[in-house]
Amino acid sequence: LSFLKMLVFSFFFFFPPPEINDGEGHPSSSHQALKGTSKWATSLESLLEDPEGVKRFREFLKKEFSEENVLFWLACEEFKKTQGKKQMQEKAKEIYMTFLSSKASSQVNVEGQSRLSETILETPHPLMFQKLQDQIFNLMKYDSYSRFLKSDIFLNHKKSEEQEENSAEAQTAAKRASRIYNT
């Protein structure tokens, strides 16, 4: 019996079932990938992968006076993609001056901040801010993110998404009905 279970599992693993479509060739809602607020609610990582999610999260953090956290995280992500020593030096200095120096305009609260001196900016590397970025990510994940999911910003966006989805489903049902009765 266990061999049979493994065989069935491997069959579905290597040959997933075909996508189920509604009458118009669109994937049925039960088989679509999560989108919008549903996806944002699965994890902070999912939220940060969606530009609209980042926008709403920033809006929330701004109200909490901690928008600099997500801005620092985003700047570090962008920094990792930077090519060329000169560009890395410029961006590293910009991140340092904006978020990490004692005179920073949007200073983030990280441990070990004082240990990162300006001398490290001369020999930048893509992961030079990783430890600090991880601290900020964890701060957001275990503090701000859970409050965001309960916030009016998130809940109102979720409600408007659901209303749009219900309206679209009603229109699709009406189209199907008209095709059935007009044939």
Side-chain angles (χ1 to χ4, degrees):
L1 184 66
S2 63
F3 173 75
L4 185 58
K5 284 182 182 178
M6 285 179 24
L7 185 62
V8 170
F9 171 78
S10 58
F11 177 80
F12 282 107
F13 182 78
F14 291 108
F15 303 102
E19 199 169 63
I20 297 173
N21 294 314
D22 63 14
E24 299 175 14
H26 303 293
S28 86
S29 58
S30 63
H31 291 274
Q32 286 179 342
L34 292 176
K35 290 191 265 184
T37 54
S38 297
K39 186 176 179 186
W40 304 348
T42 60
S43 68
L44 179 58
E45 292 89 338
S46 295
L47 170 73
L48 294 172
E49 289 172 359
D50 183 346
E52 183 66 23
V54 170
K55 178 182 172 186
R56 300 297 174 166
F57 192 48
R58 279 185 64 185
E59 188 180 329
F60 169 75
L61 291 177
K62 192 178 277 190
K63 288 183 175 188
E64 290 212 333
F65 304 101
S66 58
E67 181 187 24
E68 67 278 358
N69 291 335
V70 74
L71 294 176
F72 173 71
W73 187 88
L74 292 167
C76 291
E77 284 299 293
E78 192 61 34
F79 177 75
K80 291 175 191 176
K81 301 173 193 168
T82 305
Q83 301 291 316
K85 185 178 178 183
K86 184 141 178 75
Q87 288 83 357
M88 284 187 102
Q89 285 175 326
E90 289 170 7
K91 282 194 178 189
K93 185 172 183 173
E94 184 181 328
I95 289 172
Y96 180 81
M97 297 307 286
T98 305
F99 301 106
L100 300 171
S101 90
S102 58
K103 300 171 189 166
S105 56
S106 298
Q107 191 176 38
V108 291
N109 185 15
V110 290
E111 295 174 26
Q113 181 176 329
S114 57
R115 286 180 276 156
L116 188 65
S117 68
E118 285 189 60
T119 56
I120 195 171
L121 302 177
E122 297 304 315
T123 55
H125 58 87
L127 300 177
M128 65 187 284
F129 298 115
Q130 188 65 52
K131 194 172 187 179
L132 301 175
Q133 184 187 16
D134 289 345
Q135 285 182 34
I136 292 299
F137 179 84
N138 285 328
L139 176 68
M140 291 188 300
K141 182 176 184 173
Y142 297 110
D143 185 39
S144 311
Y145 175 65
S146 58
R147 284 196 312 279
F148 170 71
L149 295 177
K150 298 172 190 163
S151 73
D152 287 342
I153 292 171
F154 176 80
L155 295 174
N156 290 338
H157 193 74
K158 182 178 180 179
K159 188 176 183 179
S160 72
E161 273 183 355
E162 289 168 351
Q163 287 171 344
E164 286 175 20
E165 190 175 296
N166 290 339
S167 173
E169 286 176 10
Q171 288 175 357
T172 301
K175 284 180 187 176
R176 279 193 208 125
S178 76
R179 277 199 309 263
I180 291 169
Y181 296 112
N182 292 329
T183 49

